Amino acid sequence: MGALDLDAKFVEQDGKLFIGASQDCVPIAEFAKAQQSAGYHGSSEMRHAAKIPNVIIEAYCNDNKVSFADVMNNPEHIRRICNDPKNAAFRIWPGRL
């Protein structure tokens, strides 16, 4: 479950290069569910809120026109990703960030 789990596709059309990525997110969702069921949320001082797949972060960056660095440097982006109901399968600590 690392950065190398992405499957990239490259397509050239009308002189433009399009890049698409896919990722099998099932193992990540299963990991998150197991961690949540076991109560491995961390402590009140440091919560393990989620295990978010790379493709979800990439889609967020594209949809919101922000860079990966912007997402990593601004906690509001992580809050939005984690609190989005579409990403509930990847939550470990179920509370709201």
Side-chain angles (χ1 to χ4, degrees):
M1 286 191 298
L4 300 177
D5 293 336
L6 291 178
D7 182 23
K9 302 281 190 236
F10 301 89
V11 176
E12 191 230 331
Q13 183 178 347
D14 299 325
K16 295 179 182 176
L17 182 63
F18 296 89
I19 302 170
S22 63
Q23 181 179 14
D24 181 3
C25 297
V26 171
I28 299 170
E30 289 172 348
F31 170 82
K33 182 177 181 178
Q35 293 294 99
Q36 186 184 70
S37 295
Y40 296 142
H41 308 134
S43 69
S44 61
E45 294 176 8
M46 179 68 78
R47 297 277 185 211
H48 187 176
K51 176 81 171 165
I52 304 296
N54 298 327
V55 292
I56 290 177
I57 295 173
E58 182 179 335
Y60 178 89
C61 290
N62 291 335
D63 293 345
N64 293 279
K65 297 177 177 46
V66 296
S67 70
F68 179 77
D70 292 334
V71 171
M72 294 296 107
N73 290 316
N74 184 342
E76 182 56 33
H77 293 299
I78 297 299
R79 254 191 294 286
R80 287 180 193 157
I81 293 168
C82 288
N83 289 332
D84 187 333
K86 294 183 300 191
N87 299 327
F90 307 108
R91 289 299 302 267
I92 295 171
W93 176 64
R96 190 153 175 83
L97 298 180

